């Protein structure tokens, strides 16, 4: 379960590549480690699977973005969060 349904971050114009623009957080119901991934590939942002940090990897070309991040445990079988978290920049 994600701590929030929607995360909102503002990206300053001087943000450099590989800067952390925000972090999503989820907890597993039975305490397993949680891993994160974007539900759709992005050429502008990536999420660090182990930490949930969202990084800027290319110069933004749009004024705003909406990303969906999926959380899942790292056990077998893999269990996913019922609802992805959304971020709006």
């Amino acid at each position: 379960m994600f701590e929030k349904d929607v995360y909102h971050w503002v990206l300053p114009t001087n943000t450099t590549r590989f800067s952390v623009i925000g972090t999503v957080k989820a907890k597993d119901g039975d305490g397993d480690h949680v891993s994160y991934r974007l539900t759709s590939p992005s050429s502008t942002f990536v999420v660090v699977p182990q930490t949930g940090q969202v990084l800027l990897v290319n110069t933004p070309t749009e004024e705003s973005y909406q990303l969906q991040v999926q959380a899942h445990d790292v056990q077998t079988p893999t269990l996913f969060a019922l609802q992805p978290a959304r971020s709006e920049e």
Side-chain angles (χ1 to χ4, degrees):
M1 297 295 294
F2 281 96
E3 290 180 355
K4 299 181 193 177
D5 291 333
V6 176
Y7 293 80
H8 180 81
W9 304 301
V10 176
L11 211 73
T13 56
N14 62 347
T15 303
T16 59
R17 284 183 73 200
F18 305 111
S19 293
V20 176
I21 61 159
T23 303
V24 295
K25 296 250 186 220
K27 292 185 180 183
D28 182 69
D30 58 0
D32 294 332
H33 180 73
V34 176
S35 186
Y36 304 89
R37 67 180 183 190
L38 293 174
T39 59
S40 298
S42 171
S43 61
T44 308
F45 303 98
V46 297
V47 65
V48 179
Q50 300 85 353
T51 64
Q53 293 176 317
V54 178
L55 305 177
L56 177 69
V57 293
N58 279 314
T59 304
T61 56
E62 305 291 328
E63 287 188 23
S64 68
Y65 290 85
Q66 187 174 37
L67 306 171
Q68 285 193 331
V69 178
Q70 193 170 48
H72 60 90
D73 66 12
V74 291
Q75 302 301 316
T76 304
T78 300
L79 302 174
F80 291 90
L82 296 175
Q83 186 77 14
R86 293 184 329 217
S87 70
E88 298 173 350
E89 290 87 40

